[in-house]
Amino acid sequence: METKKRMMKYLERHYSNLSEKDQKTKLDEIVARLKEVNFLDSDTLHEVITALMVEEGWSLSRVLAHLDMIDYDERT
């Protein structure tokens, strides 16, 4: 569990260093990969992303880190 927390912090820092355009590109890539493994349909996933950012106040880099970890878990 500690390893996942460290990885999450690393990913969040990594994504925070990207430009907004690059973050949005990464988001599209991750959403496409999650859609391929039938995690959620893209509309629902975008609703979740919007809720996390608007209602929970998450940054896009934090959302990206969490989605990337879900994607990683789905692939392994």
Side-chain angles (χ1 to χ4, degrees), residues 29 48 51 57 66:
E29 291 171 4
V48 170
H66 281 269

Side-chain angles (χ1 to χ4, degrees), residues 1 15 24 29 31 38 42 45 59 69:
M1 190 57 134
Y15 289 128
K24 289 180 180 181
E29 291 171 4
V31 167
N38 294 322
S42 58
L45 195 51
S59 64
M69 285 299 298

Side-chain angles (χ1 to χ4, degrees), residues 10-68:
Y10 165 79
L11 287 170
E12 191 171 345
R13 278 191 314 270
H14 169 72
Y15 289 128
S16 70
N17 289 327
L18 298 178
S19 68
E20 186 176 336
K21 180 183 175 188
D22 288 340
Q23 286 180 345
K24 289 180 180 181
T25 299
K26 275 304 214 186
L27 180 62
D28 291 341
E29 291 171 4
I30 294 169
V31 167
R33 287 195 309 261
L34 287 172
K35 187 178 171 189
E36 287 177 15
V37 296
N38 294 322
F39 178 70
L40 290 173
D41 64 82
S42 58
D43 290 338
T44 304
L45 195 51
H46 283 290
E47 287 177 26
V48 170
I49 292 165
T50 301
L52 288 172
M53 292 178 71
V54 174
E55 296 171 21
E56 300 297 324
W58 285 25
S59 64
L60 183 53
S61 60
R62 186 173 184 191
V63 170
L64 284 166
H66 281 269
L67 292 177
D68 210 4

